[in-house]
Amino acid sequence: FNVVMDAAVEKASSAVEALYKAPRNGVARRELLVALAQMKSCGRQAFVQLESQRERVRERRTALDGHILGLQNLLYEREHLLRNVFLCREFTTPQLQRLQEDEGETVVKAVTTESTAVDHRANLLQLEQEKEERQRLEQQIRSLRESLQERRNEASTTRRFLDTLPEQLKNIEEASQALQQTLGLPRSEIRAAHAAAARLSRPLYLAFRQLDALRNLALHPRTETETNDDITWTIGGAEVDLHVQSAVGSDDGPSAKRRRKSTDEDNANARASQDAANLLLDDASFTMTIEVSGESSGQIAIAFKVVLGFFFSEARKRTLLKVTVEEGELAPGNALCNLFPGDVGEQLDDQKNGPLYEYCWVQYLCGLDTLPLCNPSHASGEDASALTAADITAAIVDRLRFRAVLEGMLGHLQKTTFPLPIHPAAQSLFPAASKDKWTMSSWTPVLPDGLQEGKDPFRYDVGLPESSTREKWEFQKCQYFAATFVRDHASLKALVEVSPEYPIRPPRVLLQGRSGGVGTAAFDQDLKHVETEVNIYYDELVLEDAADPGAAAFLLAHQLRRIQVLEN
């Protein structure tokens, strides 16, 4: 570019000199014009290159400004980090130092110039965890302080109430002096007796209050007052009556002795407390009447009236139960055995009163025992603290209702009036009776060999671990029946076990002896399959009908029906 420009300038200068010497020289003019054109072209090229250079200068300057700004930011950040490092080094952490002294090791490593990014991240993570833990503890402290303040407020309110309580009690006592003069016992004995009775169970406390009213009525008869010592309520569709019988009326009896005043106040209080705790046991007994009428389940009508009598035994220091069936086809026996898990009870034969039973729930009702009882109405299982008299009564009603359905079904079977009574809700589970493979021809109660000697008819003769052995009550308190099924010219005999907890503990069916088949020495695998289908998969035959609480008691008939329809 410079060479061309210099050549054009030199050529133009030569042309100018030639024209100076010869103004009419045409060649010089043309050379001058060409030289000027070349110079103009070179000028335009120089301008274009200058603009491009300026653009590059501007780009470089912009880039330089960016680098300078980044450098300044880095310098500012470096200064900020140095300042923070200085502040962190000057910041004291007595808690961490105390923690290091207690633990005997370094909690946070010292930061040095040789520390790596991993060390920094580990220290930062540990400090973050420490911060979160401190925040959690602070929140817990605030909640505890709020709870403490609430407790203080409650305690203050209770304290103010207790401060005014003696004055209120004094006013009540002064206002009731005229009433106390009409009572049969001094005020101190009444207070001690009621304080002792308040610790008893609800039925026992109820009986105590009724007996106390009867005693006062005997001491101070009022012809214008009518008393009723019966209490009736409805539980599970059954009418339940509680009737208390008192033995007052004898001037020389324990009740008359308790009415005598003592000169020694302490002895009177002690005697009154002891007498109040034993009032029901010494002077009274109570009966509970459970009546169900107008109910039916399937083809079986349910109607019964059972009286439960509670009597205290001085010899055993326990309350015994007497079960009397006044109406219905119930057979009491062991009907209430194992009403609550593990409460098998004990049967006592009394020549005067007949069989008596001792159960834990009886002692619980009478306030003599507080053993934990499992509530069968709760799926989770609760202890006696949540168990009430209504829960116990409801369990008794359910057991008796199931027993009534079972007795009706057994009576139907013993009369050999077949086909079997199937619940209407279970008709879809079985085919018509005309399509049965087997037909039941007989049903009789039996007593298996060796049952009284403690031999389990459902236990294998071969050696098995002791953990698989049932307790004696689990099979000795059961009922056993022999059933015969016929098909063409073949017959099949079955042993059926019905437990007292029916249908909670389902019936068991034995089609072949544990040492071999019934009537044969060989083991029949087909019969084993039938036993498995009936004994293990019985839950498919249990009905849950809210409109019919006795529907579950048809389990026995459904199991026998399952045997009739199986191919074996």
Side-chain angles (χ1 to χ4, degrees):
F1 174 75
N2 294 333
V3 174
V4 175
M5 187 65 178
D6 292 341
V9 171
E10 184 178 357
K11 187 176 181 181
S13 300
S14 301
V16 170
E17 291 178 357
L19 287 175
Y20 179 74
K21 295 177 180 181
R24 294 185 177 274
N25 189 352
V27 176
R29 287 182 179 182
R30 286 193 298 271
E31 290 179 356
L32 179 60
L33 292 175
V34 172
L36 290 175
Q38 291 178 351
M39 291 175 61
K40 190 174 181 180
S41 176
C42 289
R44 287 195 297 270
Q45 294 180 5
F47 180 76
V48 172
Q49 291 184 1
L50 180 61
E51 285 298 326
S52 63
Q53 291 297 328
R54 286 177 179 176
E55 184 65 25
R56 291 180 60 190
V57 169
R58 284 194 295 269
E59 292 177 357
R60 295 295 179 88
R61 184 174 294 175
T62 302
L64 180 61
D65 292 340
H67 289 309
I68 293 174
L69 183 59
L71 180 59
Q72 290 177 351
N73 292 336
L74 290 176
L75 291 175
Y76 292 152
E77 186 175 358
R78 178 176 178 274
E79 292 295 332
H80 177 69
L81 291 176
L82 291 175
R83 192 182 306 111
N84 287 337
V85 169
F86 176 77
L87 293 177
C88 291
R89 289 178 177 177
E90 294 296 328
F91 182 76
T92 59
T93 56
Q95 294 87 355
L96 291 179
Q97 294 176 2
R98 191 179 303 110
L99 183 61
Q100 290 177 0
E101 295 175 358
D102 295 340
E103 296 294 335
E105 59 182 6
T106 303
V107 178
V108 179
K109 298 181 180 180
V111 179
T112 62
T113 56
E114 298 178 357
S115 300
T116 62
V118 177
D119 297 334
H120 286 287
R121 283 195 297 269
N123 290 339
L124 182 61
L125 179 61
Q126 192 166 2
L127 291 175
E128 288 292 337
Q129 293 177 353
E130 181 70 19
K131 179 182 177 181
E132 294 177 358
E133 183 66 18
R134 287 176 179 272
Q135 291 176 350
R136 187 188 66 81
L137 292 176
E138 289 178 359
Q139 181 66 24
Q140 184 177 1
I141 290 174
R142 284 195 297 269
S143 62
L144 290 177
R145 286 177 178 173
E146 294 176 358
S147 178
L148 178 61
Q149 186 62 32
E150 293 178 359
R151 298 297 183 272
R152 287 178 178 175
N153 295 337
E154 293 177 359
S156 178
T157 304
T158 306
R159 190 179 298 107
R160 288 194 298 269
F161 171 74
L162 294 177
D163 291 341
T164 59
L165 185 60
E167 186 66 23
Q168 296 177 5
L169 293 177
K170 182 178 179 181
N171 296 335
I172 293 175
E173 291 180 359
E174 292 177 355
S176 61
Q177 286 182 357
L179 180 62
Q180 293 178 16
Q181 295 176 0
T182 62
L183 300 179
L185 290 178
R187 183 183 62 187
S188 59
E189 293 192 23
I190 292 176
R191 182 184 302 169
H194 282 267
R199 297 192 299 268
L200 302 177
S201 63
R202 181 175 177 271
L204 181 59
Y205 182 74
L206 178 63
F208 163 74
R209 296 302 300 269
Q210 292 175 341
L211 291 176
D212 187 65
L214 292 175
R215 180 178 57 184
N216 291 333
L217 182 62
L219 293 175
H220 306 279
R222 299 182 180 88
T223 57
E224 68 278 4
T225 303
E226 295 182 359
T227 60
N228 183 12
D229 56 352
D230 291 339
I231 296 177
T232 304
W233 69 94
T234 302
I235 294 180
E239 295 291 336
V240 181
D241 298 334
L242 178 65
H243 180 74
V244 180
Q245 299 174 344
S246 177
V248 299
S250 176
D251 294 338
D252 297 333
S255 300
K257 296 180 181 179
R258 280 194 294 272
R259 292 195 296 268
R260 299 172 184 172
K261 298 182 179 179
S262 175
T263 56
D264 189 356
E265 188 71 17
D266 295 336
N267 293 336
N269 293 340
R271 188 181 71 253
S273 300
Q274 183 66 25
D275 291 343
N278 296 329
L279 181 60
L280 174 66
L281 308 180
D282 292 341
D283 293 0
S285 62
F286 69 91
T287 59
M288 182 184 296
T289 303
I290 301 176
E291 183 175 2
V292 174
S293 59
E295 288 189 12
S296 62
S297 182
Q299 306 173 8
I300 300 176
I302 303 176
F304 60 86
K305 183 178 181 181
V306 178
V307 178
L308 305 180
F310 300 84
F311 305 94
F312 182 72
S313 172
E314 279 288 348
R316 302 178 66 89
K317 300 299 181 184
R318 304 285 282 178
T319 302
L320 303 179
L321 174 68
K322 180 181 179 181
V323 183
T324 304
V325 180
E326 295 188 352
E327 298 178 6
E329 300 297 332
L330 287 178
N334 297 314
L336 300 179
C337 175
N338 206 27
L339 183 64
F340 296 93
D343 189 9
V344 181
E346 182 180 357
Q347 180 177 346
L348 304 175
D349 295 328
D350 186 80
Q351 297 180 354
K352 179 180 179 182
N353 298 317
L356 301 177
Y357 304 91
E358 179 183 339
Y359 296 114
C360 293
W361 58 267
V362 174
Q363 318 308 319
Y364 175 81
L365 277 180
C366 296
L368 298 179
D369 208 343
T370 58
L371 292 178
L373 299 175
C374 178
N375 191 346
S377 63
H378 299 157
S380 59
E382 300 183 5
D383 57 4
S385 61
L387 196 66
T388 63
D391 295 331
I392 297 178
T393 307
I396 296 174
V397 171
D398 291 341
R399 178 65 66 84
L400 294 179
R401 180 183 284 111
F402 291 146
R403 177 61 61 169
V405 177
L406 176 63
E407 293 293 340
M409 191 183 310
L410 294 178
H412 185 89
L413 293 174
Q414 292 179 9
K415 294 176 183 178
T416 63
T417 55
F418 304 112
L420 299 174
I422 304 300
H423 194 273
Q427 294 294 339
S428 60
L429 300 177
F430 307 98
S434 59
K435 298 182 180 180
D436 290 346
K437 306 300 180 181
W438 296 84
T439 303
M440 179 178 289
S441 62
S442 66
W443 176 272
T444 55
V446 296
L447 183 64
D449 297 336
L451 183 66
Q452 299 299 330
E453 290 76 16
K455 183 180 179 180
D456 187 357
F458 280 75
R459 177 174 170 79
Y460 287 97
D461 293 338
V462 296
L464 290 176
E466 292 296 329
S467 58
S468 62
T469 304
R470 295 194 295 177
E471 297 184 11
K472 290 185 178 181
W473 68 269
E474 294 187 62
F475 55 88
Q476 287 185 342
K477 293 182 180 294
C478 295
Q479 296 175 274
Y480 292 90
F481 301 90
T484 303
F485 299 89
V486 295
R487 178 182 180 181
D488 297 334
H489 299 288
S491 65
L492 178 64
K493 295 182 179 180
L495 178 65
V496 182
E497 177 188 85
V498 181
S499 65
E501 307 97 307
Y502 177 87
I504 303 300
R505 181 152 64 105
R508 299 180 65 182
V509 179
L510 182 65
L511 298 178
Q512 54 186 343
R514 291 312 187 189
S515 59
V518 176
T520 62
F523 181 82
D524 193 336
Q525 189 64 32
D526 292 337
L527 295 180
K528 180 61 179 179
H529 290 165
V530 175
E531 290 182 359
T532 302
E533 185 71 22
V534 175
N535 296 331
I536 297 181
Y537 301 106
Y538 68 91
D539 53 340
E540 301 174 357
L541 308 176
V542 178
L543 299 180
E544 294 183 0
D545 190 354
D548 185 4
F554 277 78
L555 176 59
L556 174 61
H558 295 169
Q559 288 177 305
L560 297 176
R561 192 81 170 85
R562 174 65 65 87
I563 296 177
Q564 289 182 302
V565 301
L566 289 177
E567 291 280 356
N568 48 62

